[in-house]
Amino acid sequence: MWKLKIAEGNGPWLTTVNNHVGRQHWEFDPDAGTDEERAEVERVRQEFKKNRFVTKQSSDLLMRMQLTKENPCGPIPEAIKVKDSENLTEEAVTTTLRRGLSYFSSIQAHDGHWPAESAGPLFFLPPLVIALYVTGAVNAILSPEHKKEIIRYLYNHQNEDGGWGLHVEGHSTMFGSALSYICLRLLGEGPEDGEDRAVAKGRRWILDHGGAVGIPSWGKFWLTVLGVYEWAGCNPMPPEFWLLPKLSPIHPGKMLCYCRLVYMPMSYLYGKRFVGQITGLVRSLRQELYIEPYHEINWNKARNTCAKEDLYYPHPLVQDMLWGFLHHVAEPILMRWPFSSLREKALKIAIGHVHYEDENSRYMCIGCVEKVLCLIACWVEDPNSEAYKYHLGRIPDYFWLAEDGMKMQSFGSQMWDAGFAIQAVISSNLVEEFATTLRKAHDFVKASQVRGNPSGDFKKMYRHISKGAWTFATQDHGWQVSDCTSEGLKCSLLFSQISTDLVGEKMETERLYDAVNVILSLQSNNGGFPAWEPSRAFRWLEKFNPTEFFEDVLIEREYVECTSSAIQALTLFKKLYPHHRRKEVDNCISRAIDYIEETQNPDGSWYGCWGVCFTYGTWFAVEGLAACGQTYRNSPTLQKACDFLLSKQLPCGGWGESYLSATEKVYTNLEGNRANLVHTSWALLSLIAAGQAERDPEPIHRGVKTIINSQMDDGDFPQQEITGVFMKNCTLNYGLYRNTFPIWALAEYRRRVLFA
């Protein structure tokens, strides 16, 4: 039976700066669990499989079953249901809130964070399996139980047409289908295996849609590394870009960190023209994946071939012209002496950056895509290197297990989730009742702050200051994020106002100052806040975005979410520490407010880049403006925001927005006009913060009834559609949102509407 391990780590190939606080990984113990527990695990697996085409996102049940058993909350009152004709009572709201908080406390880990899934994209896992196959480490890293659960996951998320999507809720794509098919084959599944010949159905989808030549550029790269595609069919990724003058507008150091850290190891492997061993299975895949014989494929034509199912961001003509020049002119020159010496120099610089990133993230890297690329680059440089062994040691940090099988996480959302969870619990005004929960969470926040900058001359390595920041995940991860830092600072300030007898010693003032320093350092000239680093590049560079399935990936840009978080944190900081850098803080807040007001859409909404979508962006914007004293009464901006949200309320009283809103950039209801509890909560939090209750509380009452009537018998809330998104075209599930935000909305309603 699988067990979730918290804050544990040993062995020579794991390093940590905070005793692994926040680390979460799964281990298989054949002797664990009773017969009844094993039967229950199997039951929920079969239940998911039976409903997989209707409910595509798992409910994270294995983690919840384990933690609620380890941390029983005791008996709770029966669930309350409120009829449409009935008025909301204090008893109904408070009872539902207490039940939700009791359950919520039972799924908190002993180190203070709330473990949860952060997954959903189907292109995360297959590259790891490819990398392990190429390096010969599949059987050393993936036990039979690992393989069994990965195979379960892939079959569970195969679409009815036989293909696989970019993410679990998406339509079938060549990227998702070819990678998933290859992954199954590398894990030992035969060409005709699977229930109802699922593998053959997957192959049929691929061939019916033109074969693997239509896979997007990232897929072409991984297929080439495996040996089932050719470098001649890939657009160039020359490492010589690292030799450009730093003032060059196209220097990779100016790219968005995620993009930079993807193409850094890619350029190394491209420059090496590395291809794995051509095994019998690889030769078989060459025959299985294409509609024409492998040796007859026109690789030059294939460079710019992309299946229509995958094409979200078509390449502009100027980009194809650039790739054509690099492919036909520049590359042949750079491969020959004396210019080949430039390539050797560029390769050394690229792999040097890989090692720097590895060491400063304790071999976690900034995310799962980059992690696997850096792992294989280190192996290609030296198969016996310590760097490669350190990489293998961190692979378990990326696996997550649920009733649908084993998946790969983005990199974990431990601090992000904890920041919202803490604010939800504190908002309830039931602090004494849930003091133990808050004390553990406070310890986690203090242990998760980054205590230093990246090593050495970090500016030379295109890194920004990180001392005082919080990451998205854990301190070991190391990458500062503006909104995570702001939410971490906000939580620390809220804790500082609560008795130390309840929540422990408050954070030292200097550490709060460090956090403020990071936040202030990240603001852009337009007043908005980017996520990771200051914006360094021109907007026109986005014309050269080489990914066909994402948008806005090349350069760092500003986000309403990050800007709002910064406003909220600095406003609270200014209240408690009015004399520290006051002029800078005031100026920062003022410019950030201007940015939010200027980026409001004509219909009153804001586009959310990290959640679905207009509901999410509007919630952040409203909270940021409300933190500075704006309300419906005095702010035309908030009046428009409230009108927008009210126009999207469903007849049932809730809100429900499809991920297609992010993709199409137009508000889209969920199919069948279903309500989603997370969207309902975001809308309610927005309306309450804006002062809608003073104008007309009825829409808020209706939304709260939706939440109350949805609570489950154990105090949990149901998992519904995915509400996270990134790069406009891919969803990401945040497994804790279904608890955090309904609790937070109930708490704010109780505090600011019922008890107003």
Side-chain angles (χ1 to χ4, degrees):
M1 187 169 170
W2 288 91
K3 287 291 184 182
L4 179 62
K5 302 290 185 178
I6 300 295
E8 294 183 18
N10 50 52
W13 306 116
L14 274 178
T15 61
T16 180
V17 294
N18 69 345
N19 203 27
H20 293 296
V21 170
R23 186 172 190 242
Q24 48 190 29
H25 72 284
W26 291 86
E27 289 184 1
F28 184 77
D29 180 353
D31 300 320
T34 64
D35 290 342
E36 291 79 7
E37 288 169 341
R38 294 180 185 183
E40 180 63 10
V41 168
E42 189 58 31
R43 185 191 69 79
V44 298
R45 285 171 173 162
Q46 292 304 314
E47 191 70 17
F48 181 87
K49 179 182 175 182
K50 183 176 70 175
N51 298 304
R52 67 189 184 279
F53 296 130
V54 177
T55 305
K56 298 193 174 186
Q57 174 54 48
S58 67
S59 297
D60 227 354
L61 294 179
L62 304 193
M63 174 275 290
R64 289 167 184 257
M65 288 160 59
Q66 176 183 325
L67 292 184
T68 52
K69 182 188 175 187
E70 294 173 354
N71 312 310
C73 63
I76 59 174
E78 287 189 13
I80 290 180
K81 304 299 178 186
V82 183
K83 296 179 181 177
D84 289 342
S85 59
E86 295 178 340
N87 291 326
L88 283 171
T89 64
E90 179 189 339
E91 179 190 6
V93 174
T94 303
T95 299
T96 306
L97 180 58
R98 277 200 169 97
R99 296 176 82 255
L101 285 168
S102 295
Y103 179 86
F104 201 38
S105 297
S106 73
I107 58 171
Q108 183 186 30
H110 62 78
D111 69 350
H113 87 281
W114 279 265
E117 175 185 313
S118 174
L122 289 171
F123 63 91
F124 282 177
L125 183 57
L128 174 64
V129 175
I130 291 173
L132 294 177
Y133 182 85
V134 168
T135 62
V138 168
N139 293 328
I141 300 301
L142 302 180
S143 69
E145 291 297 330
H146 280 90
K147 294 177 184 177
K148 179 181 178 181
E149 292 304 322
I150 292 171
I151 290 169
R152 184 197 308 277
Y153 180 72
L154 292 171
Y155 282 144
N156 271 332
H157 292 290
Q158 186 176 21
N159 289 331
E160 289 183 273
D161 63 6
W164 286 265
L166 184 66
H167 52 91
V168 298
E169 292 189 358
H171 66 269
S172 295
T173 63
M174 189 62 70
F175 193 32
S177 299
L179 287 181
S180 297
Y181 178 87
I182 289 169
C183 188
L184 286 169
R185 296 287 281 116
L186 296 181
L187 291 174
E189 294 294 278
E192 305 295 321
D193 282 353
E195 198 171 293
D196 296 327
R197 299 178 66 246
V199 177
K201 285 178 65 178
R203 183 172 65 256
R204 176 46 51 197
W205 190 95
I206 293 167
L207 297 177
D208 285 347
H209 291 80
V213 291
I215 197 169
S217 56
W218 285 12
K220 295 181 194 297
F221 170 87
W222 277 113
L223 268 60
T224 301
V225 168
L226 178 61
V228 299
Y229 195 87
E230 296 293 321
W231 284 117
C234 296
N235 280 320
M237 294 170 274
E240 285 78 9
F241 273 114
W242 291 98
L243 300 178
L244 291 172
K246 292 184 179 179
L247 293 177
S248 169
I250 59 172
H251 190 284
K254 291 182 168 65
M255 290 181 180
L256 172 69
C257 54
Y258 267 87
C259 184
R260 180 170 79 240
L261 295 173
V262 164
Y263 287 101
M264 184 170 67
M266 274 189 177
S267 71
Y268 178 78
L269 294 164
Y270 174 83
K272 289 272 189 179
R273 295 298 197 277
F274 171 78
V275 178
Q277 183 180 354
I278 306 303
T279 64
L281 178 55
V282 169
R283 289 192 182 93
S284 180
L285 286 169
R286 285 179 171 184
Q287 296 177 357
E288 296 168 30
L289 290 168
Y290 300 100
I291 60 176
E292 57 189 316
Y294 187 79
H295 66 277
E296 294 181 8
I297 294 173
N298 182 338
W299 296 111
N300 181 52
K301 180 181 178 182
R303 283 190 303 111
N304 294 317
T305 300
C306 182
K308 69 179 189 301
E309 292 79 10
D310 296 68
L311 191 59
Y312 180 68
Y313 182 82
H315 290 176
L317 177 61
V318 66
Q319 186 180 150
D320 287 338
M321 291 172 63
L322 172 64
W323 299 140
F325 171 78
L326 290 173
H327 180 77
H328 293 294
V329 180
E331 272 300 308
I333 293 173
L334 290 167
M335 294 290 283
R336 292 180 173 84
W337 189 89
F339 301 102
S340 55
S341 61
L342 284 176
R343 172 132 302 177
E344 290 303 315
K345 183 179 179 180
L347 288 171
K348 288 179 181 178
I349 292 174
I351 198 66
H353 280 281
V354 168
H355 291 318
Y356 185 84
E357 162 64 10
D358 289 345
E359 292 161 8
N360 279 278
S361 64
R362 269 58 62 182
Y363 290 84
M364 292 178 70
C365 301
I366 196 172
C368 65
V369 174
E370 297 80 0
K371 160 73 178 175
V372 180
L373 288 165
C374 289
L375 177 151
I376 198 166
C378 289
W379 183 84
V380 169
E381 183 195 31
D382 180 1
N384 298 310
S385 67
E386 289 191 353
Y388 174 62
K389 294 171 184 174
Y390 277 119
H391 264 298
L392 294 180
R394 276 294 185 184
I395 287 176
D397 295 60
Y398 277 96
F399 286 140
W400 190 259
L401 188 74
E403 66 271 21
D404 59 340
M406 180 166 279
K407 59 205 80 175
M408 197 165 183
Q409 303 220 86
S410 58
F411 55 88
S413 54
Q414 293 93 311
M415 183 59 213
W416 181 246
D417 280 333
F420 287 146
I422 289 162
Q423 293 174 70
V425 178
I426 291 176
S427 176
S428 71
N429 279 347
L430 300 173
V431 170
E432 291 189 15
E433 198 170 327
F434 295 96
T436 301
T437 299
L438 287 171
R439 179 184 282 268
K440 289 194 296 182
H442 192 193
D443 289 341
F444 173 73
V445 170
K446 290 184 285 189
S448 298
Q449 188 182 28
V450 178
R451 305 302 298 275
N453 290 320
S455 62
D457 187 356
F458 58 88
K459 292 184 179 178
K460 180 182 177 182
M461 306 305 284
Y462 313 106
R463 288 291 298 268
H464 190 63
I465 62 170
S466 57
K467 183 182 180 182
W470 277 271
T471 75
F472 200 71
T474 65
Q475 188 185 164
D476 280 339
H477 182 258
W479 269 91
Q480 75 288 337
V481 192
S482 64
D483 51 1
C484 298
T485 301
S486 298
E487 299 300 334
L489 175 60
K490 200 193 320 180
C491 289
S492 301
L493 294 170
L494 290 171
F495 277 127
S496 74
Q497 299 175 82
I498 302 172
S499 168
T500 56
D501 293 337
L502 295 175
V503 298
E505 293 300 319
K506 66 180 183 180
M507 182 175 281
E508 298 90 333
T509 302
E510 281 302 318
R511 292 174 63 181
L512 302 176
Y513 290 171
D514 288 340
V516 170
N517 186 54
V518 171
I519 295 169
L520 293 176
S521 74
L522 287 168
Q523 189 172 32
S524 297
N525 292 333
N526 64 5
F529 276 81
W532 294 276
E533 299 171 319
S535 181
R536 299 166 175 159
F538 296 106
R539 291 295 171 103
W540 57 259
L541 195 62
E542 204 65 62
K543 291 283 186 185
F544 297 93
N545 166 19
T547 62
E548 301 86 347
F549 51 92
F550 284 150
E551 189 176 334
D552 293 345
V553 299
L554 269 190
I555 67 171
E556 183 66 278
R557 61 190 62 243
E558 297 74 37
Y559 306 98
V560 66
E561 302 100 306
C562 299
T563 307
S564 170
S565 290
I567 290 173
Q568 294 175 61
L570 291 176
T571 301
L572 182 56
F573 176 80
K574 182 176 72 169
K575 176 183 175 183
L576 300 177
Y577 295 88
H579 303 298
H580 182 74
R581 300 176 69 172
R582 179 60 180 264
K583 186 175 181 181
E584 294 174 76
V585 170
D586 282 341
N587 182 53
C588 176
I589 294 172
S590 176
R591 292 168 56 218
I593 291 172
D594 289 344
Y595 172 83
I596 289 182
E597 291 181 335
E598 290 166 4
T599 54
Q600 186 178 31
N601 294 320
D603 66 357
S605 70
W606 285 263
Y607 183 93
C609 290
W610 305 108
V612 178
C613 163
F614 294 99
T615 318
Y616 185 71
T618 301
W619 169 56
F620 268 99
V622 169
E623 292 282 5
L625 298 178
C628 300
Q630 292 194 25
T631 68
Y632 188 93
R633 287 173 178 259
N634 62 23
S635 170
T637 303
L638 291 188
Q639 291 168 11
K640 288 175 64 179
C642 288
D643 290 344
F644 163 76
L645 290 169
L646 294 175
S647 74
K648 304 303 179 186
Q649 190 171 23
L650 299 168
C652 67
W655 283 258
E657 187 177 0
S658 168
Y659 77 86
L660 294 173
S661 290
T663 303
E664 305 298 333
K665 306 182 185 74
V666 175
Y667 189 98
T668 307
N669 281 345
L670 288 168
E671 187 177 351
N673 290 335
R674 297 189 305 273
N676 181 292
L677 291 177
V678 177
H679 289 127
T680 299
S681 301
W682 289 338
L684 289 171
L685 287 166
S686 304
L687 293 171
I688 293 169
Q692 170 67 26
E694 297 179 19
R695 174 195 181 204
D696 176 12
E698 186 57 30
I700 298 175
H701 297 327
R702 292 174 59 222
V704 170
K705 286 180 183 179
T706 300
I707 293 177
I708 290 175
N709 290 333
S710 300
Q711 191 176 44
M712 299 159 68
D713 290 342
D714 58 1
D716 196 2
F717 291 93
Q719 174 67 50
Q720 297 170 307
E721 297 80 9
I722 292 178
T723 52
V725 72
F726 64 98
M727 305 305 179
K728 293 187 167 61
N729 194 37
C730 192
T731 65
L732 183 68
N733 181 51
Y734 293 92
L736 206 68
Y737 278 13
R738 78 192 219 212
N739 300 98
T740 301
F741 289 106
I743 287 171
W744 200 349
L746 289 171
E748 287 292 287
Y749 176 80
R750 178 175 179 268
R751 184 171 66 90
R752 300 178 62 175
V753 179
L754 275 187
F755 293 167

